[in-house]
Amino acid sequence: MKTRSRKGRLMKRLIVITTLTILASCATQEVRRSEAKDTAIAGDPVQSARIRSLLDQGNLALVRRDFRTAEKKAEESLQVLPTFQGHYLLGMVYKEEGKTDEALQSLLRAEELAPEQEQILLSLGLIYGSRGDLDLSLKRFQRLLELHPDDPAY
């Protein structure tokens, strides 16, 4: 009986982690569509176009699960100009590779640059929650609720 109960708890945890991973993947696609293309990046138009191109290539590689290329494109974009989009992309690559500490570092840099960007807050909340850092997870989710009190997603 204990074994069945333990398996049930493990299965529930697996479902929660899988759901969180899917949500984070959706967040990556949303940032790619909206923020990387619509947010004006400081600097000259050639530099902005280069950064957007690198981010688009990196996001496409991430969707295709070509993590090496995605990481390279994110790093290249950050060398041109450190943007929250570049740090976010790098964080998502690290998350997908199972490099949680590196993912958190990149996402925290992104949060410094864009503290109200909902996909960053969502991703940080999910990663902290998966690590068992519930206070830090709750802090990000509460911030989302403060920023979007009428949004049923939060």
Side-chain angles (χ1 to χ4, degrees), residues 136-151:
L136 294 172
S137 178
L138 186 59
K139 179 181 174 184
R140 291 338 189 270
F141 292 134
Q142 285 175 330
R143 183 70 178 132
L144 277 172
L145 286 171
E146 291 169 8
L147 292 170
H148 307 281
D150 297 325
D151 191 334

Side-chain angles (χ1 to χ4, degrees), residues 22-38:
I22 291 168
L23 288 173
S25 294
C26 292
T28 299
Q29 292 176 16
E30 179 60 29
V31 166
R32 180 177 51 102
R33 282 193 303 270
S34 62
E35 297 295 334
K37 293 183 180 176
D38 298 337

